Amino acid sequence: MSVNQTTAPDDVAADESPAKAGRSADRTDMVGKALGLLVLLGDEPRGASAAEISRRAQLPFSTTYRLLGSLTRDGFVDYEPDGRRYHLGLRIFQLGQRVSNHHGFAGTALPVLRRVTEQTGEATILSVRDGHHHLTVNKVDGPQMFRVTSDPGHLGSLSTTAVGKALVAFAEDAEREKLLAELPLEPLTEKSITDRDAFRAEIELVRRRGFAVMDEENEAGMRAVAVPLLNSQGHAFASLATAVPVFRLSLDGLEAHVPLLQEAAAELAARLPQR
């Protein structure tokens, strides 16, 4: 005679009722939604209203408003009463700094970036890839009055920037092909590359030369040159750039800094965790 036994599902502990498991799943889902709102706010440097965030997140307004309230209370989000807009809060900055320190971008990379800036007299920028964007993780401004606006935490285009092109060109083969096929080619200036075949040709040029150039493609009046930081397999895990206003340095003059950047990139590649 056999006895039928009911066993708990794999994701429910034997001493946990289905009702409790359901509430736990709901809480996890709400955490995911809250994190999604933070990601959306990260793409809005001027902030956004609750209604705008609700539409972008495709969540009910009541849910969005409640989550924003909780995030504001805990310091992850700031609320601007005058414009009724939400911004990322100081708590996010603090966590970001800890991540930067953990990866060595602050303590290890900063002295190298400062040395490059001392020799070029211009801004030096260190970036990593974040999906279809590049993320500025460190920057040292030059002594000149005119400064580059790509501060740490800035998310920028991969297709219109020198750091972005370097990250795409020296990505793993399969990942590079995926980016070349799927990357949005948005026109930020009249010089931005928006044709996919032209962008593929640009990336092939970057691979042959070993460095990437941006000449007013991302921002009118600015140009930059970037080199990849390569891991032991020869793939980029970060990129290093010098950026200047066009009135201060010609393209040839900018490219003359490539050997200095490559030397600094090799030093950073040996020191930084290659994640």
Side-chain angles (χ1 to χ4, degrees):
M1 179 178 179
S2 63
V3 179
N4 292 326
Q5 291 182 326
T6 302
T7 58
D10 291 340
D11 58 345
V12 180
D15 60 347
E16 185 178 21
S17 69
K20 286 183 178 179
R23 288 195 293 271
S24 177
D26 288 343
R27 286 194 295 271
T28 302
D29 187 50
M30 293 305 286
V31 169
K33 290 176 180 177
L35 292 173
L37 296 186
L38 293 175
V39 172
L40 289 176
L41 280 174
D43 292 333
E44 299 289 347
R46 290 185 291 272
S49 67
E52 291 168 341
I53 298 169
S54 174
R55 285 194 297 271
R56 289 196 58 195
Q58 298 182 339
L59 292 174
F61 180 82
S62 58
T63 301
T64 303
Y65 188 77
R66 184 169 66 253
L67 290 173
L68 288 171
S70 297
L71 292 168
T72 301
R73 181 194 63 221
D74 294 334
F76 293 103
V77 168
D78 287 337
Y79 177 63
E80 177 191 334
D82 290 344
R84 296 184 179 181
R85 304 182 76 78
Y86 293 86
H87 306 260
L88 290 181
L90 185 60
R91 190 81 180 273
I92 295 293
F93 174 77
Q94 292 170 336
L95 292 174
Q97 290 297 103
R98 291 175 184 175
V99 172
S100 177
N101 289 335
H102 172 71
H103 286 281
F105 293 130
T108 303
L110 195 56
V112 178
L113 269 63
R114 284 175 175 159
R115 189 173 72 240
V116 173
T117 291
E118 287 173 1
Q119 296 183 56
T120 65
E122 303 293 350
T124 308
I125 301 167
L126 181 65
S127 291
V128 298
R129 187 165 71 86
D130 183 2
H132 282 181
H133 297 85
H134 77 82
L135 172 68
T136 302
V137 293
N138 216 328
K139 184 188 78 165
V140 174
D141 280 312
Q144 311 283 356
M145 292 290 292
F146 194 97
R147 64 185 296 273
V148 177
T149 56
S150 180
D151 292 320
H154 169 76
L155 280 174
S157 166
L158 286 177
S159 64
T160 63
T161 59
V163 288
K165 292 178 190 178
L167 290 168
V168 173
F170 292 93
E172 295 183 16
D173 293 348
E175 188 64 24
R176 182 174 66 255
E177 286 303 313
K178 184 178 180 182
L179 289 169
L180 287 171
E182 300 177 359
L183 197 64
L185 303 179
E186 300 176 357
L188 299 185
T189 74
E190 293 181 353
K191 293 188 175 183
S192 300
I193 299 175
T194 57
D195 178 79
R196 200 157 295 278
D197 289 337
F199 183 62
R200 181 179 289 273
E202 176 77 1
I203 293 303
E204 287 303 316
L205 176 63
V206 173
R207 287 181 58 79
R208 290 197 303 271
R209 300 173 81 184
F211 65 90
V213 170
M214 182 279 293
D215 191 15
E216 297 190 272
E217 299 156 56
N218 188 69
E219 183 179 353
M222 295 296 298
R223 57 173 54 117
V225 63
V227 301
L229 274 64
L230 303 176
N231 61 21
S232 57
Q233 288 76 45
H235 301 134
F237 67 93
S239 59
L240 185 68
T242 292
V244 303
V246 295
F247 66 81
R248 203 152 60 213
L249 197 61
S250 68
L251 199 55
D252 288 342
L254 184 61
E255 291 180 5
H257 292 315
V258 167
L260 173 63
L261 286 172
Q262 289 174 328
E263 181 182 347
E267 181 178 351
L268 289 171
R271 292 186 178 188
L272 293 174
Q274 298 181 4
R275 297 187 179 184

